[in-house]
Amino acid sequence: MRNYIIKRLLLIPITLLGILTLNFVIVQFAPGGPVEHILAQYQGMNTDSASAISGKASSVQTKSSVQYQGASGVPEEMIHELEKQFGFDKPAGERFWQMLKSYAVFDFGKSFYQDKTVLRLIGERMPVSVSLGLWSTLIIYLISIPLGIKKAVYDGSKFDLVTSFLVVIGSAIPVFLLAVFLIVFLAGGTYFSWFPLHGLTSDNFAELSFWHKIGDYFWHITLPVTVMVIGGFASLTMLTKNSFLDEINKPYVLTAQSKGLSSRQVLYGHIFRNAMLIVIAGFPALLIKMLFTGSLLVEVIFSLNGLGLLGYQSIMTRDYPVIFGTMYIFALLGLVLKLLSDITYCLIDPRINFSAR
């Protein structure tokens, strides 16, 4: 197992290099960019117009510089200054090599539009996404695994049919629609004002006592986490049920039952270990989804400044340092979580030996 872990750790920088290379090449051919964005703002255009220009923008080579769509009437010295400011006055190969050297020491540079380093921006937004992701993942597992096991044990019963109907309804409701529904009914939209409408904490959070801070935190996070749990627990519930159904009918279960073991001993002493392997395999993907992708709409609707919202804003404004920095962090976390998942495989079932593969 040690050799397997070492190999996987050595593959992480190679994988990150491939991801960075692919995305850097794509960005070079993508229409628009920060220069067009600034030029649009300079000419008094709104964000929608800037996006439209960026989407249609194409550069044409002149004797002195590269001209941009929407740059008519803009001094050429200003365009040169913008290119120098964003580093586009250097060849693409030189920019890529400099990026690799900086990323090797976790130096992601500064945002194009905010006077902050990328690491500082990520550090400021990380607590929000981590709060949403960890609590959502924990609650999803606490609900889905017991529910999936009970559905497998009582397969075909009235309980199974009713819960399956509820699971399907929960998975079919769009996240944004559920979030708006909860805001309208529970967050002061029309009916009740039981929960806050935005933010992770109250404005006077620093003045509260320790226990009031805990209460205020959970008060703010209740609705966002509820939305993410309802939208994410269906697939894990059905996965758990199907995994246990596959194991229940295998010969070793009949053997254990013939030895006089109770149903509970057979279920949790024999079936559980084998059936949970596929469930554990999905943990890294679920956690990454909850941390970064699944929380995007929730962060926007509930005005939570997390990593999902940061990534979306940076893409819309072509803030390349933030785009590449957040992508690098996401990829690194995903690779590490995948490795931890494989290690957990071996801890649960010693028969699995990745080193022998």
Side-chain angles (χ1 to χ4, degrees), residues 133 136-138 140-141 144 232-233 235-236 281-293:
S136 300
T137 304
L138 176 62
I140 286 174
Y141 266 79
S144 298
F233 84 102
S235 59
L236 184 60
F283 178 80
L286 178 62
L287 183 57
I288 290 294
K289 177 183 177 182
M290 292 293 106
L291 280 174
F292 308 122
T293 57

Side-chain angles (χ1 to χ4, degrees), residues 144 167-168 170-171 229-239:
S144 298
V167 165
V168 170
S171 63
V229 168
I230 293 177
F233 84 102
S235 59
L236 184 60
T237 299
M238 300 309 297
L239 177 65

Side-chain angles (χ1 to χ4, degrees), residues 147-159:
L147 180 59
I149 294 174
K150 191 169 183 179
K151 285 174 65 63
V153 172
Y154 297 100
D155 182 45
S157 65
K158 184 177 180 180
F159 171 81

Side-chain angles (χ1 to χ4, degrees), residues 1-2 4-10 12 284 332-346 354:
M1 187 63 185
R2 181 182 63 182
Y4 173 75
I5 294 176
I6 293 175
K7 291 178 183 178
R8 289 291 298 274
L9 291 175
L10 292 176
I12 288 179
L332 180 60
L333 286 176
L335 293 171
V336 172
L337 286 173
K338 180 59 179 174
L339 176 59
L340 292 177
S341 175
D342 291 344
I343 295 174
T344 308
Y345 261 138
C346 296
F354 288 105

